[in-house]
Amino acid sequence: MKTLRAISMIAAAFFAARAAVAAGRPAGEVYGHQVLPILQEKCLKCHGEEKTKGGLDLTTLAGALKGGKEGEVIVPGRSRDSVLFQQIRDKEMPPKDAEKITYEELQIIAQWIDSSEFPDAATLKAQATSAVHDRAKKLWSFQPPVRPALPEVKDSARVRSPVDRFVLAKLDANQLSFSPDADRRTLIRRVYFNLIGLPPKPEEIEAFVSSKDPQAFEKVVDHLLASPHYGERWGRHWLDVAGWAESSLLIGDAVRPGFWRYRDWVIRAFNDDKPYDQFVREQLAGDELTHWRDADRFDDDTIAKLTATGFLRCPPDGTDNQPITQEEKRFATQQTAVEVATKALLGLTMNCVRCHDHKYDPITQREYYQMIAIFQPAYDPEKWIPGMVNQFSAGPVRAIPLADRAGREAFARHIEDLGRRNMELSYQKENGIPNKYRDRYVGEHLDELPANLDRALIEKALTREERQRTKEEKAAVYAAAKHFNLGPERLKKIFPDIIPEQKENQRQQKALAVEGQNVGEVIWALWDVSADPTPARLLIRGEFKKPAQEVPPGILQTLDRSDAPWQPPTADATRQTTGRRLAFAEWITRPDHPLTARVMVNRIWQYHFGTGLVATPDDFGTRGAKPSHPELLDWLAREFVESGWSIKHIHRLILNSTTYQQMSGDPSALLASFPRRRLEAEAIRDAMLDVSGLLDRKMFGISIATEACDDGSFDVPADDGGRYRRSVYLSTRRSQLPTFLTLFDAPSMDTNWPKRNDSAIAPQALALMNHPFVLECADAFAARILADGGTNAERLQRAYLLAYGRAPRADEHTLFAELLTKTSPDTERATWRTITHALLAASEFLYVD
């Protein structure tokens, strides 16, 4: 049976390998994805990384086909005649002291040789770049955007903005046209929610509806872009893109007190219309734009630039708050930060390139680790600084105190002291306290030990604390304890005093944990740990325990300029930073970069229409969606750069267009109508607070904490004075997001979130019926309507204007009028609460036309 099972396993592996290397695929593609990872682990140490024994270089397909000094090692189509296959099969290679290639891996190599389409020698010689890089020639997003001419259209009377010409041209080609303009009540509600995430006041609606000014809508747009609430709305969008949350997720999901400063920096940046190139540079390298280390006190500009680097601290950090900082968590944190940054800024997915060349996009594994090398000085696995206050080990923390130089030095000493004290308490809990009583018992019963135990050695060991004993002494005492069966429970029965000691230890640990969280005013920034970082290395199959050749800092070759290639800064011993991230930021924000402007204007479009011109906002690669209007995307990208990277300028171009101002209808890739959309979770909550009169418009500062409720949900405590503030100011602890928001698809930020889900599920309806927050808002809304006075008909009109921006229809008026005729002074508040509850829970409140 064992033999049959072994044969079955080998056969399964063979066919799995055969399926993995499909016949007819290009040899270079299969080599990079299937074969090279095997050779990297087992062969490249001798044939490609640091040396090429026998003249054989297996790092590329061209090198493998060229062979070595003794000739070719691969015969295309004939694996059994290929020296490479023969030497692996016969166990001649890798050498005896190296890890052998498995049978399954050999089958992958054999199938590759037998089934792939190999290029001829002339083709290989003619290739200036690798097969991976050749893909860039066919990929639209890797070509610099060029401003196209504005197209001619049939109905130029509908053109309000250059945007319209591109959309109309495509509609013309499909015998379609724009939908009629939306009515003014619909339009003002749409733009208010789009730009500030709050409904317009009835007075604002009526002023716009009755205005005869032909530029009335443009003035509404300008008014909203100048509103401080604009930054709250659009800052929340960017926080999704960055993956911002105030906790570590892993190991207890501990909160970083003060990380709200990055949120506030983002809101201010949007309100100030900070040029996007500057916005990017400060987030990637704000620390390298200021001499903060030499400052006695930080000025506002220094604080802002350091705070901006919180962008690179947003992803989960598995090295936070760990008893033992696991090395693999350091690499994962480093890699995730780089991958989120490239998704957010370049619209490229890099995750799979940890292990091999990208299967579809022109990105090699080497280039991935060259990008890692840019960030290595800040996220250096060999010189690691924990992501937050690490209560379990002495050492620094990746936070900068908002204090003068002396205060910053005192902070560092305090953190080290916390670590030492906690290490001692942890030791006493696990070893010191129980072992003290264990040693006491052993010492009192030495005469009872069997002859095979060394009593003299045990007696000598007991004269010293366990941490000072030799290995042999520790083993001897352990053997004695085992003989007496001195486990934890038995020790507590023999020595009851151990229990209060352990409780006191636990009390001190809890007190120390609170002290560790009270770190004072800090900035959770990123900075270079040293100007002499550990060299970055390519990791075989992405495994940190299998480092290969050293790689220098570098960028993606196919996005670089041949006439002015990117160069890392030269080493300078006088600097306290490498300058690598700043050089990278300057490259990303160069005006002709193929991706940066395209990716951001696509995000702006997405947040206005629900779907971007490229429907996959974080993937502008081969597997991403093709742009629905490529000429419009490129025109906007060039306009964005030439406007000084002004986000508000792009808003105006889009919002003042007929494309945006159409009636709503079914979603259309050709934009023949405006897509009806459900509000995001935060906008739903904020709108309920606003129409009910409860909204607290205070801006900035410490986040409003959430707590666990008896039913397992999470909500803001009922006695919290800030509970009515906008949702952007609620705590974003990943494991304790307000349940009401998560029901409407607010993400927990396990990574960044470029596009929210838009679900419609039964629990949403149940929450709208029963959630205490909704009921509270409905009651306050009713009180507001009653306080406004007037007849019931006037009150109903006011309620509809507040909730929907319109008057009730005849059937709605009749429905509620009948209900109101049955009310009395004692039931008036309850009746109006029923009405306002119905208004808040209806689809019209949740959706924007």
Side-chain angles (χ1 to χ4, degrees):
M1 288 298 293
K2 289 183 178 179
T3 302
L4 287 174
R5 190 179 296 115
I7 293 172
S8 176
M9 291 175 64
I10 292 173
F14 176 83
F15 288 111
R18 190 178 185 118
V21 188
R25 288 173 61 183
E29 180 181 330
V30 180
Y31 189 75
H33 301 152
Q34 304 287 347
V35 178
L36 187 56
I38 299 171
L39 303 182
Q40 279 179 328
E41 188 173 353
K42 311 286 178 70
C43 306
L44 294 197
K45 184 177 180 181
C46 297
H47 297 289
E49 286 176 357
E50 299 172 359
K51 51 192 173 182
T52 52
K53 284 188 175 181
L56 178 60
D57 183 355
L58 296 175
T59 55
T60 66
L61 174 62
L65 291 178
K66 180 181 177 182
K69 294 178 181 178
E70 297 183 6
E72 296 179 350
V73 297
I74 294 171
V75 181
R78 304 206 309 270
S79 61
R80 299 303 187 271
D81 297 332
S82 299
V83 174
L84 179 68
F85 175 87
Q86 293 168 353
Q87 293 203 342
I88 294 172
R89 179 196 60 194
D90 299 339
K91 307 296 183 184
E92 295 180 23
M93 289 293 169
K96 293 181 180 179
D97 57 343
E99 185 180 356
K100 296 297 182 182
I101 289 175
T102 66
Y103 175 83
E104 293 81 2
E105 291 169 333
L106 179 60
Q107 293 311 306
I108 290 175
I109 295 171
Q111 286 295 309
W112 166 66
I113 295 173
D114 290 336
S115 305
S116 299
E117 294 180 353
F118 284 84
D120 56 35
T123 302
L124 273 175
K125 187 175 181 181
Q127 288 176 341
T129 58
S130 72
V132 172
H133 288 151
D134 279 344
R135 298 178 201 147
K137 299 174 184 177
K138 301 177 183 178
L139 189 54
W140 65 270
S141 58
F142 275 54
Q143 318 309 316
V146 177
R147 181 190 285 268
L150 296 178
E152 295 296 325
V153 295
K154 295 177 183 177
D155 188 5
S156 59
R158 297 298 305 274
V159 174
R160 290 187 171 102
S161 161
V163 167
D164 295 327
R165 288 193 171 273
F166 293 98
V167 178
L168 262 177
K170 197 151 192 174
L171 290 172
D172 288 346
N174 288 272
Q175 289 77 50
L176 296 171
S177 61
F178 281 137
S179 297
D181 286 349
D183 67 81
R184 286 199 164 193
R185 291 182 184 278
T186 297
L187 188 58
I188 191 171
R189 188 170 187 266
R190 178 189 298 174
V191 76
Y192 262 72
F193 275 112
N194 255 192
L195 286 183
I196 67 171
L198 295 171
K201 295 180 175 63
E203 299 76 19
E204 293 167 328
I205 297 172
E206 297 310 317
F208 176 62
V209 169
S210 62
S211 175
K212 303 300 182 184
D213 185 348
Q215 295 182 321
F217 186 69
E218 287 87 338
K219 291 178 179 179
V220 168
V221 169
D222 288 342
H223 168 70
L224 294 175
L225 289 175
S227 167
H229 299 306
Y230 159 76
E232 293 173 325
R233 173 64 160 160
W234 280 78
R236 177 65 262 179
H237 292 326
W238 182 259
L239 296 173
D240 279 9
V241 173
W244 175 75
E246 295 172 274
S247 62
S248 62
L249 180 62
L250 305 170
I251 316 300
D253 196 33
V255 175
R256 294 176 185 155
F259 199 30
W260 51 263
R261 286 185 179 21
Y262 174 71
R263 174 205 63 206
D264 288 0
W265 179 87
V266 170
I267 292 172
R268 289 189 173 98
F270 274 92
N271 277 338
D272 295 343
D273 198 22
K274 186 186 287 287
Y276 183 68
D277 59 339
Q278 182 182 347
F279 181 73
V280 170
R281 283 195 296 270
E282 291 181 11
Q283 291 182 91
L284 288 176
D287 59 303
E288 298 188 319
L289 291 167
T290 180
H291 299 288
W292 63 275
R293 291 178 179 84
D294 301 324
D296 182 49
R297 290 184 179 275
F298 297 155
D299 58 22
D300 290 344
D301 182 65
T302 298
I303 293 172
K305 285 185 169 62
L306 291 174
T307 301
T309 64
F311 170 71
L312 296 170
R313 299 290 312 280
C314 288
D317 187 339
T319 69
D320 289 351
N321 210 12
Q322 280 192 301
I324 300 175
T325 301
Q326 299 169 5
E327 191 177 4
E328 65 182 287
K329 298 292 195 304
R330 299 180 180 184
F331 284 92
T333 300
Q334 174 201 65
Q335 292 163 353
T336 302
V338 174
E339 290 161 11
V340 168
T342 53
K343 282 195 293 182
L345 302 174
L346 298 177
L348 293 177
T349 58
M350 301 274 284
N351 309 48
C352 66
V353 200
R354 290 185 190 184
C355 303
H356 52 72
D357 292 349
H358 205 294
K359 289 191 174 184
Y360 307 107
D361 295 340
I363 308 170
T364 66
Q365 186 187 21
R366 177 180 174 83
E367 287 171 331
Y368 174 89
Y369 287 101
Q370 286 183 299
M371 295 270 281
I372 291 290
I374 291 173
F375 293 82
Q376 182 96 344
Y379 278 124
D380 191 331
E382 298 299 322
K383 301 176 181 179
W384 194 261
I385 295 180
M388 62 184 296
V389 174
N390 191 326
Q391 300 163 9
F392 298 95
S393 61
V397 63
R398 200 179 296 279
I400 301 174
L402 279 170
D404 58 17
R405 188 192 299 272
R408 298 197 295 272
E409 293 171 353
F411 175 83
R413 291 193 298 272
H414 174 60
I415 293 299
E416 291 181 359
D417 178 60
L418 278 177
R420 282 191 292 268
R421 287 158 56 197
N422 200 76
M423 285 180 71
E424 180 60 25
L425 286 171
S426 297
Y427 171 78
Q428 291 300 330
K429 174 186 175 183
E430 301 298 330
N431 298 288
I433 295 173
N435 289 352
K436 177 178 68 174
Y437 289 96
R438 176 203 67 186
D439 291 354
R440 176 177 160 184
Y441 186 92
V442 170
E444 291 172 351
H445 297 81
L446 281 173
D447 293 342
E448 301 174 24
L449 288 172
N452 65 326
L453 295 181
D454 191 338
R455 297 183 188 179
L457 181 62
I458 294 170
E459 192 170 5
K460 180 182 177 183
L462 294 177
T463 63
R464 291 198 298 274
E465 187 183 27
E466 184 179 29
R467 285 178 286 192
Q468 299 172 338
R469 295 170 187 168
T470 65
K471 182 179 180 180
E472 292 75 14
E473 290 171 342
K474 289 178 182 179
V477 174
Y478 175 78
K482 187 176 181 181
H483 172 75
F484 291 125
N485 192 26
L486 296 178
E489 296 306 316
R490 177 166 159 74
L491 279 174
K492 288 177 184 178
K493 290 179 181 178
I494 299 172
F495 302 107
D497 288 348
I498 197 172
I499 297 173
E501 276 197 55
Q502 288 182 327
K503 287 183 177 179
E504 173 59 18
N505 176 277
Q506 187 178 28
R507 185 197 67 78
Q508 291 183 32
Q509 281 198 313
K510 288 181 178 179
L512 195 64
V514 172
E515 185 179 352
Q517 288 298 306
N518 295 330
V519 295
E521 299 288 300
V522 297
I523 305 171
W524 300 99
L526 191 81
W527 65 91
D528 282 4
V529 175
S530 78
D532 182 27
T534 306
R537 291 183 175 275
L538 185 147
L539 304 181
I540 297 172
R541 300 193 184 188
E543 297 181 27
F544 76 96
K545 291 184 177 180
K546 297 179 179 178
Q549 68 267 32
E550 183 178 322
V551 294
I555 56 169
L556 306 186
Q557 176 183 324
T558 49
L559 290 173
D560 205 3
R561 284 176 52 169
S562 58
D563 59 332
W566 185 83
Q567 295 291 335
T570 56
D572 183 349
T574 64
R575 284 199 311 247
Q576 294 176 297
T577 179
T578 62
R580 292 181 188 177
R581 281 177 290 112
L582 181 57
F584 177 66
E586 295 289 353
W587 170 73
I588 275 188
T589 56
R590 75 172 199 247
D592 63 342
H593 196 287
L595 288 168
T596 309
R598 277 181 174 137
V599 168
M600 188 55 186
V601 297
N602 186 65
R603 294 193 192 281
I604 297 170
W605 189 278
Q606 170 193 315
Y607 290 123
H608 283 309
F609 290 93
T611 302
L613 295 169
V614 176
T616 50
D618 269 13
D619 189 355
F620 273 52
T622 303
R623 303 293 282 182
K626 300 295 186 292
S628 60
H629 295 72
E631 295 83 7
L632 174 56
L633 180 63
D634 281 9
W635 189 90
L636 286 171
R638 292 310 309 157
E639 183 70 17
F640 186 34
V641 174
E642 291 167 19
S643 72
W645 298 85
S646 169
I647 292 173
K648 290 187 178 181
H649 176 67
I650 301 300
H651 282 313
R652 291 186 178 95
L653 285 169
I654 294 172
L655 298 173
N656 291 325
S657 70
T658 301
T659 307
Y660 180 81
Q661 295 178 39
Q662 300 175 87
M663 287 176 57
S664 64
D666 294 332
S668 168
L670 296 179
L671 298 168
S673 61
F674 185 85
R676 191 175 195 232
R677 296 172 57 203
R678 200 203 71 200
L679 293 172
E680 297 96 331
E682 294 87 346
I684 293 171
R685 178 181 176 275
D686 295 351
M688 287 185 176
L689 290 172
D690 188 54
V691 301
S692 65
L694 293 174
L695 183 64
D696 179 354
R697 294 177 182 251
K698 177 184 175 183
M699 297 182 67
F700 307 124
I702 298 172
S703 297
I704 311 305
T706 58
E707 66 177 6
C709 303
D710 292 339
D711 62 359
S713 65
F714 296 97
D715 205 347
V716 180
D719 58 352
D720 193 309
R723 65 190 306 264
Y724 299 134
R725 293 183 67 193
R726 291 199 70 171
S727 302
V728 73
Y729 300 114
L730 299 185
S731 172
T732 54
R733 185 174 183 180
R734 299 178 206 259
S735 61
Q736 291 193 10
L737 291 180
T739 301
F740 183 78
L741 297 184
T742 59
L743 281 173
F744 289 94
D745 305 308
S748 61
M749 294 301 171
D750 50 340
T751 179
N752 72 321
W753 211 266
K755 189 174 181 179
R756 295 276 185 101
N757 294 329
D758 190 8
S759 66
I761 55 176
Q764 293 169 352
L766 293 172
L768 292 170
M769 289 174 60
N770 304 307
H771 197 284
F773 168 76
V774 179
L775 299 177
E776 182 182 15
C777 287
D779 186 61
F781 191 4
R784 179 181 184 181
I785 295 302
L786 289 170
D788 285 345
T791 66
N792 280 340
E794 291 170 337
R795 288 170 173 168
L796 190 62
Q797 172 128 339
R798 178 73 172 168
Y800 265 82
L801 283 171
L802 285 166
Y804 303 150
R806 64 171 178 84
R809 295 187 297 268
D811 59 335
E812 294 167 334
H813 192 280
T814 300
L815 173 67
F816 288 122
E818 182 179 349
L819 179 64
L820 288 167
T821 59
K822 300 177 182 178
T823 191
S824 67
D826 293 338
T827 61
E828 185 177 50
R829 176 75 170 264
T831 301
W832 276 103
R833 184 166 57 242
T834 299
I835 294 171
T836 55
H837 188 187
L839 295 179
L840 294 180
S843 293
E844 188 171 352
F845 189 84
L846 305 179
Y847 285 80
V848 172
D849 285 318

